[in-house]
Every structure is written in C-alpha cells, then in structure tokens.
C-alpha cells in the first residue's frame, strides 16, 4: 500500500499536467489504494480522490467505494451527472445500518444530494422501496414521508411533489399489503396522506385539482388499511371537511359522480377506523348528511293526494353508503341515537326511516319481479348490462333493508353484517367459514396467497356508474303516492 510520500508524488504528477490528467490512470489508482493505509494516508487519499475524480470516469465506481471506506459525509460531493444514481443507491442501502451516528450521516447525505437533484434522487429512493430488503424499503419510505417535507420550497417544487405522488402510486399498484410489515404499511399510508394534504385546515370543494388529488390519494391508500393500519385520519378528514361540502364537490372528469365516489371511499375506510378523537361530533356530521338523503313523507292534501308537486326521490346508492358508514362508526358509540339526540330529532329520524323502508319494500318487490322466472331468450337477456345493474340494485336495497332493521331495534342495534353491493360475493367451499371482504363487523380483507403473481393484483377503483337511470321505468304501487326515482342530487 502507498505511503504518504508516494501519495504526494502521484498527486504532483496529476497536478502538473492539468490538461491531460486523464492520461495518468495509474497515478490515480495509487491514490485510491491510499484508503488501505494508515490514518495519514487515508486523510490524504480522501482529499486527492475528490480533487481528480471528474477526470477518471472509468474509475468512478472504485473512487466512490474508496470514499465510502473513508467517510459517508463526503459522498454527496461525488454526485455529478450520471454518478448521482450510484451514490443514491449506496446511501439507500446504508439505511439498514443500526448505528445511530452512521444512520444520521446517511440521512444527512441523502438530504444533501436531494438538494442537488430532487428528481434524480427520488428515482433511487423509490427503486429501493420496490426492490430493497424489508428494513431498507421501510426506512426509505420513512425518509420520504418525514425528511422531505423539511426541505425548502425551491427544492420541494410542485414538479417534485407530483413525482412523489406518481411514484407512490406505482409502489401501491405493484405490491400487496402482505409484502410490507405493519410499520411499512403505516408509513405508506402516511406518505399518501401527506400527498393528499390531510393536514390542511380548509378543504376547497370547488377546486377540481384539490378534489381529484384527495380522491386519487385515498383510492391508493384504501387497500393498505386493516385492523392494524387504521384509517382514522382519513375518516376524520372526510367527516369534518368533505361531507359538509358533498353537494358542491367539483371534478374535471366528465360523467363522474364525484359525490358517490367519495361516499364509497368513506365506506371502504370506515371498517378500519380506530379511535376517533371527536367521535360524537363526526358521527353527528355523518348523521346529518344521512338525513339529507332520507326525506320526510310528502304531506297529504285534503282529497288524499299529494300537497306537493312531486314525490321525494329515494337515492339508494347514496343511502347504502351513508348507512353503512354510520353503522360502522356507531359501533364505537352505541348509545348515540338514544343518549346524544334529543327526542324531537330522534322522532324525526324514525319517521324518515319508516317512509324510506316502505318505499324500499316496493322497490325490492319490483326488482324481484323483473329478475325472476326468466327462461330461454329472457334468461340470456339477464346477462345484459341492464340486468346486471338490476342485480346490483337488489343487493343495495337488501343491504339498506338489513341496516334499517337494526335501527328499529329497541335499543338500536349495530350487529348485522352485509356485503356491499359493488363487492363480488365470495364463493365458499363446503366446510369453510364464510368471510365477507367488507362487512359491518369490520372484518379485514382476505389476504392473498404468498405465491400470487403481482400482475394479478388489483387496486380497488370505485365504479362511477349508478343504477338509478336504468331503473326509472318501473311502475310503483299507488300506496306510495308516486314512483321512486334514483337520481343524482343536485
């Protein structure tokens, strides 16, 4: 190994030929070998390696490895051009170190190269999240979700934030929750929540970009919620900020029923909600929104007809979502309807429930008549899109019926379980217990087998279509003084 004098000698050779330094590859190799020497040799090698680094691209890997042996904190100085991914990958792999001092050095070095090239560093970060060892990927997720927000605005630009969101989506699409530990899934959910900006105090329902970002981020987070990874933060935000503004949500996507999409996401999250800090307040907001979609019976005129111009519309898809979410959260405060509502409000709610339940029974009978006893051509027609929609409608109305029956118990119960109308019914083998994917008992989704292929996994994407417009041509019983519609609330 070279001594101090030899290191100085080779340094002089390269320093004296400034225009043709790259020709002295052997001299630079001697400098690199200096990292194997004593303390003085290592100190000199650390200075000389960096000074001539740019002239020896073919020795870049050797130079970076040599510097790594000397000092982690000097590594960011090697991040020029194509060397950045190499340095970033090395630092990411060093995140698995258990030494607190070395771990802090790695974090600081990563922040340094992020300041130099945010987009380039992100590529290496998310590459490790996808392909690294468990401890590396979890620490990479933690770094992205905690350290990056401390960077100044000139570094964490809108372009970089959009890249973080895009890369996060790729991670969530490419892996299942079984591939992460509980801690890893919690960090992923936290990362997505940061991108959805759930900390903001004021939600802007009239900004399509704000609404779209929330919808997109929540859709990506939903598959990672479980009994151990709670959705409390998102559920609270939806109750406090989104539900009160449900009727004025705007979207840039033509034909998308944004209100129904939001309600379905709330349903998906409600099964895995933990302890809510303002539970009674949030239950009240959810209850008030439910009342908006459960009309009072129309007043009768003196001749027995309707005093109003038209019958109230019963919007079953909205009510299924709101009732389900209310059912789930009410399990955490079972006496809400008895102890937290005044007598007049509870009486009003029961009147609305009774009216809705009567209309529901008529609608269910009409759907059964439309779907039963088909043979031949008619049976083949049952497979058409229209009949599939009727089947979904029947599931939704049956679900509402079950949940309303619970509310009529004395005291009101919240023990029933239903499979959501847009969820496929799982076939159960003989001898197996039935395990519904989403039920009012809050059971988690079934885990896929370890051998399941990644290309077979799917992230939940709530359907945007409603079944109302296809079912508006039924003739309903006159006892309800009109027909039931299922149209979007204006």
């Amino acid at each position: 190994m070279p001594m101090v004098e030899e290191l100085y000698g080779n340094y002089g050779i390269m320093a004296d030929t400034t225009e043709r330094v790259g020709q002295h590859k052997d001299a630079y190799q001697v400098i690199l070998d200096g990292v194997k020497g004593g303390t003085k040799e290592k100190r000199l090698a650390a200075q000389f390696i960096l000074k001539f680094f740019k002239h020896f691209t073919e020795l870049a890997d050797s130079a970076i490895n040599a510097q790594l042996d000397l000092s982690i904190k000097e590594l960011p100085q090697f991040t020029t051009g194509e060397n950045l991914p190499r340095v970033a990958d090395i630092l990411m792999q060093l995140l698995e170190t258990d030494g607190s001092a070395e771990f802090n050095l790695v974090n600081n070095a990563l922040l340094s190269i992020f300041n130099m090239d945010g987009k380039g560093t992100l590529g290496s970060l998310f590459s490790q999240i996808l392909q690294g060892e468990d401890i590396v990927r979890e620490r990479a997720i933690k770094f992205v979700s905690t350290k990056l927000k401390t960077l100044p605005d000139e570094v964490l630009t809108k372009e970089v934030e959009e890249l973080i969101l895009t890369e996060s989506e790729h991670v969530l699409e490419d892996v299942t929750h079984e591939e992460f530990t509980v801690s890893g899934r919690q960090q992923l959910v936290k990362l997505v929540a940061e991108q959805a900006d759930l900390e903001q105090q004021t939600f802007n329902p009239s900004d399509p970009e704000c609404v779209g970002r929330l919808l997109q981020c929540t859709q990506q987070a939903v598959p990672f919620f479980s009994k151990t990874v709670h959705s409390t933060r998102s559920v609270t935000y939806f109750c406090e900020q989104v539900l009160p503004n449900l009727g004025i949500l705007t979207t840039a996507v033509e034909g998308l029923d944004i209100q129904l999409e939001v309600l379905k996401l709330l349903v998906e999250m409600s099964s895995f909600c933990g302890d809510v800090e303002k539970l009674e307040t949030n239950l009240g907001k959810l209850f008030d929104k439910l009342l908006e979609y459960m009309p009072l019976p129309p007043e009768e005129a003196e001749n027995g007809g309707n005093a109003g111009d038209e019958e109230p519309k019963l919007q079953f898809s909205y009510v299924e979502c709101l009732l389900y979410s209310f059912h789930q959260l009410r399990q955490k405060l079972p006496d809400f309807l008895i102890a937290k509502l005044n007598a007049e409000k509870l009486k009003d709610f029961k009147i609305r429930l009774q009216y809705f339940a009567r209309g529901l029974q008529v609608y269910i009978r009409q759907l059964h008549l439309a779907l039963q006893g088909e043979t031949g051509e008619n049976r083949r027609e049952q497979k058409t899109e229209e009949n599939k929609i009727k089947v979904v409608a029947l599931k939704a109305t049956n679900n509402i019926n079950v949940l309303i029956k619970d509310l009529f118990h004395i005291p009101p119960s919240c023990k029933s379980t239903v499979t959501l109308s847009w969820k496929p019914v799982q076939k159960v083998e003989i001898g197996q217990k039935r395990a519904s994917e989403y039920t009012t008992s809050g059971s988690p989704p079934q885990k896929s087998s370890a051998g399941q292929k990644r290309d077979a996994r799917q992230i939940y994407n709530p359907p945007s279509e409603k079944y109302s417009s296809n079912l508006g041509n039924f003739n309903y019983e006159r006892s309800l003084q009109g027909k039931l519609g299922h149209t979007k609330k204006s």
Side-chain angles (χ1 to χ4, degrees):
M1 63 186 69
M3 304 300 289
V4 171
E5 294 79 8
E6 190 175 355
L7 290 175
Y8 272 121
N10 283 278
Y11 172 84
I13 292 172
M14 291 185 287
D16 292 341
T17 56
T18 53
E19 295 183 358
R20 300 189 302 276
V21 177
Q23 296 178 3
H24 298 285
K25 183 177 177 180
D26 292 340
Y28 191 66
Q29 185 61 59
V30 172
I31 300 295
L32 296 180
D33 292 339
V35 301
K36 303 173 183 176
T39 303
K40 293 181 179 179
E41 286 80 10
K42 288 180 178 180
R43 188 180 300 118
L44 282 177
Q47 299 173 27
F48 298 163
I49 288 172
L50 182 59
K51 182 174 179 62
F52 299 107
F53 175 72
K54 63 182 179 181
H55 298 289
F56 299 96
T57 55
E58 70 275 20
L59 293 175
D61 287 340
S62 297
I64 292 172
N65 289 332
Q67 190 63 45
L68 181 61
D69 290 337
L70 296 172
S71 174
I72 294 174
K73 66 181 181 181
E74 299 296 336
L75 276 179
Q77 299 185 55
F78 289 81
T79 52
T80 56
E82 63 181 18
N83 293 318
L84 186 142
R86 301 177 188 176
V87 175
D89 281 340
I90 290 172
L91 289 171
M92 289 305 306
Q93 292 171 41
L94 287 174
L95 281 175
E96 65 182 328
T97 180
D98 291 327
S100 58
E102 189 175 6
F103 181 74
N104 289 334
L105 283 175
V106 173
N107 273 276
N108 291 334
L110 279 170
L111 286 173
S112 295
I113 64 173
F114 201 97
N115 277 287
M116 298 176 189
D117 185 350
K119 293 178 67 177
T121 308
L122 277 177
S124 295
L125 282 168
F126 280 97
S127 175
Q128 291 297 328
I129 290 173
L130 279 170
Q131 302 172 7
E133 297 297 324
D134 286 347
I135 188 170
V136 175
R137 60 163 50 171
E138 288 186 25
R139 289 180 176 178
I141 294 169
K142 185 174 182 179
F143 178 86
V144 174
S145 62
T146 59
K147 297 292 184 181
L148 296 193
K149 62 183 178 183
T150 65
L151 295 171
D153 292 341
E154 57 267 24
V155 177
L156 201 61
T157 62
K158 183 177 181 180
E159 185 179 13
V160 171
E161 287 183 336
E162 289 176 351
L163 182 60
I164 293 173
L165 178 58
T166 301
E167 292 294 340
S168 299
E169 291 173 1
H170 290 163
V171 171
L172 294 172
E173 289 170 356
D174 196 61
V175 299
T176 61
H177 67 279
E178 291 96 344
E179 293 183 64
F180 286 97
T181 64
V182 171
S183 174
R185 298 199 298 275
Q186 289 171 337
Q187 290 294 336
L188 272 175
V189 168
K190 182 179 179 182
L191 173 59
V192 175
E194 293 287 346
Q195 296 307 304
D197 204 8
L198 296 186
E199 293 297 330
Q200 63 178 335
Q201 297 301 312
T202 305
F203 173 68
N204 187 356
S206 60
D207 181 1
E209 184 177 347
C210 178
V211 175
R213 190 181 187 89
L214 176 66
L215 192 72
Q216 186 180 22
C217 290
T218 307
Q219 286 173 341
Q220 296 299 329
V222 160
F224 285 81
F225 292 132
S226 66
K227 284 187 175 182
T228 52
V229 181
H230 292 160
S231 58
T232 311
R233 188 180 179 188
S234 295
V235 170
T236 300
Y237 188 83
F238 269 57
C239 289
E240 293 180 351
Q241 300 288 342
V242 184
L243 279 183
N245 298 298
L246 187 67
I248 56 174
L249 294 178
T250 54
T251 176
V253 182
E254 186 177 354
L256 178 69
D257 185 349
I258 188 65
Q259 297 174 25
L260 186 57
E261 297 297 318
V262 164
L263 290 178
K264 285 185 174 180
L265 285 175
L266 179 59
V267 166
E268 299 281 349
M269 297 186 294
S270 64
S271 297
F272 307 113
C273 184
D275 295 331
V276 180
E277 185 177 348
K278 301 177 182 178
L279 179 58
E280 183 180 338
T281 301
N282 288 321
L283 255 176
K285 292 180 184 295
L286 186 54
F287 177 76
D288 290 342
K289 186 57 62 175
L290 175 61
L291 290 184
E292 291 183 24
Y293 291 92
M294 302 195 76
L296 285 166
E299 295 181 4
E300 292 189 8
E302 291 182 0
N303 60 4
N306 291 338
D309 294 332
E310 63 178 61
E311 294 297 321
K313 304 297 184 184
L314 304 187
Q315 303 179 69
F316 299 110
S317 55
Y318 290 85
V319 172
E320 180 191 13
C321 293
L322 288 165
L323 263 181
Y324 184 97
S325 300
F326 182 65
H327 206 77
Q328 289 285 35
L329 294 188
R330 194 165 57 85
Q331 293 179 41
K332 302 178 182 301
L333 190 62
D335 66 345
F336 174 80
L337 291 172
I338 303 299
K340 307 301 180 181
L341 295 183
N342 60 50
E344 281 299 314
K345 198 165 187 177
L346 183 58
K347 180 181 177 181
D348 172 81
F349 182 49
K350 287 186 175 181
I351 292 173
R352 294 171 187 267
L353 280 177
Q354 288 168 351
Y355 175 68
F356 202 96
R358 291 202 307 271
L360 195 65
Q361 294 305 318
V362 173
Y363 198 48
I364 290 174
R365 284 198 295 272
Q366 294 290 340
L367 285 168
H368 276 300
L369 287 173
L371 292 170
Q372 71 182 5
E374 303 287 357
T375 57
E377 289 296 322
N378 289 334
R379 182 174 293 278
R380 284 193 289 272
E381 287 177 5
Q382 278 195 347
K383 297 180 181 180
T384 65
E385 192 63 29
E386 182 179 349
N387 278 281
K388 289 178 182 178
I389 291 172
K390 291 176 184 176
V391 171
V392 173
L394 185 59
K395 291 179 183 178
T397 49
N398 281 328
N399 286 344
I400 297 171
N401 193 40
V402 170
L403 297 177
I404 285 180
K405 285 181 179 179
D406 262 13
L407 292 170
F408 279 132
H409 286 182
I410 301 176
S413 172
C414 49
K415 296 181 180 179
S416 294
T417 62
V418 297
T419 300
L420 297 166
S421 62
W422 61 90
K423 292 290 182 181
V425 177
Q426 296 181 350
K427 294 182 179 179
V428 182
E429 299 293 336
I430 296 176
Q432 270 190 323
K433 289 185 177 180
R434 187 181 184 87
S436 173
E437 192 165 323
Y438 282 89
T439 70
T440 53
S441 61
S443 51
Q446 287 189 330
K447 293 184 178 181
S448 56
S449 62
Q452 191 173 7
K453 295 182 179 179
R454 287 191 173 184
D455 57 6
R457 293 192 295 267
Q458 294 183 349
I459 296 299
Y460 164 69
N461 188 17
S464 59
E465 65 182 7
K466 291 193 300 180
Y467 38 78
S468 55
S469 59
N470 295 292
L471 296 171
N473 57 354
F474 287 130
N475 292 320
Y476 300 104
E477 295 180 1
R478 294 185 179 275
S479 61
L480 283 177
Q481 302 172 346
K483 74 173 185 178
L484 303 179
H486 185 178
T487 57
K488 182 178 178 181
K489 186 174 180 179
S490 56

